[in-house]
Amino acid sequence: MKQKRLLFDIVIQALLGLYVFGLFKVILFKFGTMDVPFLYRQLRRNLANPHYIASRLNEGNLIPFHEISKSFHVFSSHLLYNLLGNIVIFIPYGILLGLLSINKRKLSFVDALLCSFGLSLCLECAQTVFSIGIFDVDDLILNSCGGLIGWIAFRLCAKFKVAVPNSFTKPSES
């Protein structure tokens, strides 16, 4: 029983690692190749000129719901893709968080929100620091919602015993 649980934990942690790697690759490199020397040059340039990072931050969206409201006022496929994409891309994260919390301290709604927000904040800050995107507070909101949707979906499945192996949800008797 403990060996099954350990194997399950290792598999879920590996999936989480691969997911986060893929997330960074998609968000930071937009499906392109990972160019580490380029990132290093960008980082060195920006750290040597902090005002450049500040100006990049000012170019971004720091007003909550500004870009989201544009999606509802000016319908375009790009805005809709951006809106839904930022939610959908974080749903697996919420599911993986739920899977990691099986038989451990239950992950609360607030915990899932903070974890999703924290990962999204790391991505947004990385885009700014490496000058490969812009900081958008609405992305933080949408990504956090996506993580919560995944976590809620997991909790509902676990509650109704759907797609969660029983051997992992029963308390261990050893």
Side-chain angles (χ1 to χ4, degrees):
M1 177 66 177
K2 286 183 181 184
Q3 289 175 335
K4 280 184 181 180
R5 179 65 205 170
L6 180 62
L7 180 62
F8 180 79
D9 285 344
I10 290 170
V11 168
I12 297 303
Q13 289 171 7
L15 286 173
L16 180 63
L18 286 172
Y19 169 77
V20 171
F21 172 79
L23 195 60
F24 270 82
K25 184 169 179 356
V26 167
I27 291 177
L28 298 181
F29 297 100
K30 315 297 186 235
F31 299 101
T33 59
M34 292 182 71
D35 188 352
V36 176
F38 168 76
L39 285 180
Y40 181 70
R41 285 190 307 274
Q42 292 287 92
L43 182 62
R44 283 188 51 173
R45 182 193 69 183
N46 293 343
L47 291 179
N49 301 301
H51 67 279
Y52 188 72
I53 294 174
S55 70
R56 296 281 303 165
L57 191 57
N58 286 330
E59 290 173 15
N61 171 31
L62 302 175
I63 303 167
F65 303 103
H66 179 71
E67 292 295 319
I68 293 171
S69 66
K70 271 188 190 177
S71 298
F72 295 112
H73 290 87
V74 180
F75 181 79
S76 77
S77 59
H78 173 73
L79 289 174
L80 185 62
Y81 175 77
N82 183 48
L83 181 78
L84 293 177
N86 277 307
I87 293 171
V88 170
I89 200 166
F90 262 70
I91 290 174
Y93 184 66
I95 294 168
L96 289 168
L97 286 176
L99 286 167
L100 281 174
S101 70
I102 293 176
N103 284 344
K104 298 177 185 166
R105 184 183 72 85
K106 293 288 183 200
L107 195 70
S108 73
F109 179 88
V110 173
D111 294 334
L113 175 64
L114 290 175
C115 288
S116 298
F117 181 83
L119 179 57
S120 181
L121 183 61
C122 287
L123 289 161
E124 292 298 315
C125 289
Q127 287 184 84
T128 303
V129 169
F130 291 112
S131 297
I132 52 179
I134 62 166
F135 188 93
D136 187 348
V137 72
D138 286 351
D139 288 352
L140 293 173
I141 294 167
L142 296 169
N143 295 159
S144 298
C145 287
L148 284 176
I149 290 169
W151 178 81
I152 290 168
F154 170 81
R155 291 293 300 244
L156 288 173
C157 287
K159 182 177 182 174
F160 296 109
K161 307 287 187 214
V162 177
V164 178
N166 285 338
S167 60
F168 299 124
T169 57
K170 290 181 184 173
S172 128
E173 296 179 8
S174 316

